[in-house]
Coordinates of all heavy atoms in Angstrom, one line a residue:
M17 N -29.7 328.6 119.5 CA -29.5 327.6 118.4 C -30.7 327.4 117.6 O -30.8 326.7 116.6 CB -29.1 326.3 119.1 CG -27.7 326.3 119.8 SD -26.4 326.7 118.5 CE -26.4 325.2 117.5
R21 N -31.0 326.1 113.7 CA -31.7 325.0 113.2 C -32.7 325.4 112.1 O -32.8 324.6 111.1 CB -32.4 324.3 114.4 CG -31.5 323.8 115.5 CD -30.6 322.7 115.0 NE -31.4 321.5 114.6 CZ -31.7 320.6 115.5 NH1 -31.3 320.7 116.8 NH2 -32.4 319.6 115.1
I24 N -30.6 325.9 108.9 CA -30.1 324.5 108.4 C -31.3 323.8 107.7 O -31.1 323.2 106.6 CB -29.6 323.8 109.6 CG1 -28.2 324.3 110.1 CG2 -29.4 322.3 109.2 CD1 -27.8 323.7 111.3
S33 N -27.6 317.7 106.7 CA -26.8 317.1 107.8 C -26.0 315.9 107.3 O -26.4 315.3 106.3 CB -27.6 316.8 109.0 OG -28.5 315.6 108.7
G34 N -25.0 315.5 108.0 CA -24.3 314.2 107.8 C -24.2 313.5 109.1 O -24.7 314.0 110.1
R35 N -23.5 312.4 109.1 CA -23.4 311.6 110.4 C -22.0 311.2 110.5 O -21.3 310.8 109.6 CB -24.3 310.4 110.4 CG -25.8 310.8 110.5 CD -26.6 309.6 110.8 NE -28.0 310.0 111.0 CZ -28.5 310.4 112.2 NH1 -27.8 310.4 113.2 NH2 -29.8 310.7 112.2
L36 N -21.5 311.2 111.8 CA -20.1 310.7 112.2 C -20.1 309.2 112.1 O -21.0 308.5 112.6 CB -19.8 311.1 113.6 CG -19.5 312.6 113.8 CD1 -19.0 312.8 115.2 CD2 -18.4 313.1 112.9
L44 N -12.2 313.4 113.0 CA -13.6 312.8 113.0 C -13.9 312.6 111.5 O -13.6 313.4 110.7 CB -14.6 313.7 113.6 CG -14.3 314.2 115.0 CD1 -15.4 315.2 115.5 CD2 -14.2 313.0 116.0
C57 N -18.3 323.4 110.4 CA -19.5 322.5 110.7 C -19.8 322.6 112.2 O -18.9 322.9 113.0 CB -19.1 321.1 110.3 SG -18.9 320.9 108.5
R58 N -21.0 322.2 112.5 CA -21.3 322.0 114.0 C -21.7 320.6 114.1 O -22.5 319.9 113.4 CB -22.6 322.9 114.3 CG -22.2 324.4 114.6 CD -23.3 325.1 115.4 NE -22.9 326.4 115.7 CZ -23.0 327.6 115.0 NH1 -23.6 327.4 113.8 NH2 -22.6 328.7 115.3
I59 N -21.1 320.0 115.2 CA -21.3 318.6 115.5 C -22.3 318.5 116.7 O -22.0 319.1 117.8 CB -20.0 317.9 115.8 CG1 -19.1 318.0 114.7 CG2 -20.2 316.4 116.2 CD1 -17.6 317.6 114.9
E60 N -23.3 317.6 116.6 CA -24.2 317.5 117.7 C -23.6 316.6 118.8 O -23.1 315.6 118.5 CB -25.6 316.9 117.2 CG -26.7 316.8 118.2 CD -27.9 316.2 117.6 OE1 -27.8 315.2 116.9 OE2 -29.0 316.8 117.9
L61 N -23.6 317.0 120.1 CA -23.2 316.3 121.2 C -24.3 315.8 122.0 O -25.5 316.2 121.9 CB -22.2 317.2 122.1 CG -21.0 317.8 121.3 CD1 -20.2 318.7 122.2 CD2 -20.1 316.7 120.7
A62 N -24.0 314.9 122.9 CA -25.0 314.4 123.8 C -25.6 315.5 124.7 O -24.8 316.4 125.1 CB -24.4 313.4 124.8
P63 N -26.9 315.5 124.8 CA -27.6 316.7 125.6 C -27.0 316.8 127.0 O -26.7 315.8 127.7 CB -29.0 316.4 125.6 CG -29.2 315.3 124.5 CD -28.0 314.6 124.4
G64 N -26.9 318.1 127.4 CA -26.4 318.3 128.8 C -27.5 318.9 129.6 O -28.7 318.8 129.2
G67 N -29.7 321.5 127.8 CA -30.3 321.0 126.6 C -29.4 320.6 125.5 O -28.3 320.1 125.8
E68 N -29.7 321.0 124.2 CA -28.9 320.7 123.1 C -27.5 321.3 123.2 O -27.3 322.4 123.6 CB -29.5 321.1 121.8 CG -30.7 320.3 121.4 CD -31.3 320.8 120.0 OE1 -31.3 322.0 119.9 OE2 -31.7 319.9 119.3
R69 N -26.5 320.5 122.8 CA -25.1 321.1 122.7 C -24.5 320.8 121.4 O -24.7 319.7 120.8 CB -24.2 320.4 123.8 CG -24.7 320.7 125.3 CD -23.6 320.3 126.2 NE -23.3 318.9 126.1 CZ -22.0 318.4 126.2 NH1 -21.0 319.2 126.3 NH2 -21.8 317.1 126.0
F70 N -23.7 321.7 120.9 CA -23.0 321.6 119.6 C -21.5 322.0 119.8 O -21.2 322.8 120.6 CB -23.7 322.5 118.5 CG -25.0 322.0 118.2 CD1 -26.2 322.4 118.9 CD2 -25.2 321.2 117.1 CE1 -27.4 322.0 118.6 CE2 -26.5 320.7 116.7 CZ -27.6 321.2 117.5
A71 N -20.7 321.4 118.9 CA -19.3 321.8 118.9 C -18.8 322.2 117.5 O -19.4 321.6 116.6 CB -18.4 320.7 119.5
E72 N -18.0 323.2 117.4 CA -17.6 323.6 116.0 C -16.4 322.8 115.6 O -15.5 322.5 116.3 CB -17.3 325.1 116.1 CG -17.3 325.8 114.7 CD -17.4 327.2 114.7 OE1 -18.2 327.7 115.5 OE2 -16.6 327.9 114.0
A73 N -16.4 322.5 114.3 CA -15.2 321.8 113.7 C -15.0 322.4 112.3 O -15.8 323.1 111.7 CB -15.5 320.3 113.6
L85 N -13.0 315.8 109.6 CA -13.2 317.1 110.4 C -12.3 317.1 111.7 O -11.9 316.1 112.1 CB -14.7 317.1 111.0 CG -15.8 316.9 110.0 CD1 -17.1 316.7 110.7 CD2 -16.0 318.2 109.2
L91 N -13.6 317.7 122.7 CA -15.0 317.3 122.7 C -15.4 316.4 124.0 O -14.5 315.6 124.4 CB -15.4 316.6 121.5 CG -15.3 317.4 120.2 CD1 -15.6 316.5 119.0 CD2 -16.1 318.6 120.3
S92 N -16.5 316.6 124.6 CA -17.1 315.7 125.5 C -18.5 315.4 125.2 O -19.3 316.3 124.9 CB -16.9 316.2 127.0 OG -17.7 317.4 127.1
G93 N -18.9 314.2 125.2 CA -20.3 313.8 124.9 C -20.4 313.5 123.4 O -21.6 313.5 122.9
L94 N -19.4 313.1 122.7 CA -19.4 312.8 121.4 C -20.0 311.3 121.3 O -19.6 310.4 122.0 CB -18.1 312.8 120.7 CG -18.0 312.7 119.2 CD1 -18.7 313.9 118.5 CD2 -16.6 312.6 118.7
T95 N -21.0 311.2 120.4 CA -21.7 309.8 120.3 C -21.5 309.3 118.8 O -21.5 310.0 117.9 CB -23.2 309.9 120.7 OG1 -23.8 310.9 119.8 CG2 -23.3 310.3 122.1
P96 N -21.6 307.9 118.7 CA -21.5 307.4 117.3 C -22.8 307.8 116.6 O -23.9 307.8 117.1 CB -21.6 305.8 117.6 CG -21.1 305.7 119.0 CD -21.5 306.9 119.7
G97 N -22.6 308.1 115.3 CA -23.7 308.6 114.5 C -24.2 310.0 114.8 O -25.3 310.3 114.3
A98 N -23.4 310.7 115.5 CA -23.9 312.1 115.8 C -24.1 312.9 114.5 O -23.3 312.7 113.6 CB -22.9 312.8 116.7
R99 N -25.1 313.7 114.5 CA -25.3 314.5 113.3 C -24.3 315.7 113.2 O -23.9 316.3 114.2 CB -26.8 315.1 113.4 CG -27.8 314.0 113.1 CD -29.2 314.7 113.1 NE -29.5 315.1 114.4 CZ -30.7 315.9 114.7 NH1 -31.5 316.0 113.7 NH2 -30.9 316.3 115.8
V100 N -24.0 316.1 112.0 CA -23.1 317.1 111.6 C -23.8 318.1 110.7 O -24.2 317.7 109.6 CB -21.8 316.6 110.9 CG1 -20.8 317.7 110.7 CG2 -21.1 315.5 111.8
F101 N -23.8 319.3 111.1 CA -24.5 320.4 110.3 C -23.5 321.3 109.7 O -22.7 321.9 110.5 CB -25.5 321.2 111.2 CG -26.6 320.3 111.8 CD1 -26.4 319.9 113.1 CD2 -27.6 319.9 111.0 CE1 -27.4 319.1 113.7 CE2 -28.6 319.2 111.6 CZ -28.5 318.7 112.9
P102 N -23.5 321.6 108.4 CA -22.5 322.5 107.8 C -22.9 323.9 108.1 O -24.1 324.3 108.2 CB -22.6 322.1 106.3 CG -23.9 321.6 106.1 CD -24.3 320.9 107.4

Side-chain angles (χ1 to χ4, degrees):
M17 292 300 289
R21 297 296 295 273
I24 289 172
S33 70
R35 290 193 176 273
L36 289 184
L44 310 175
C57 294
R58 280 196 173 91
I59 302 171
E60 186 178 46
L61 304 176
E68 289 183 319
R69 293 193 306 139
F70 293 85
E72 198 166 312
L85 304 168
L91 299 183
S92 61
L94 191 66
T95 58
R99 288 182 296 174
V100 181
F101 302 100

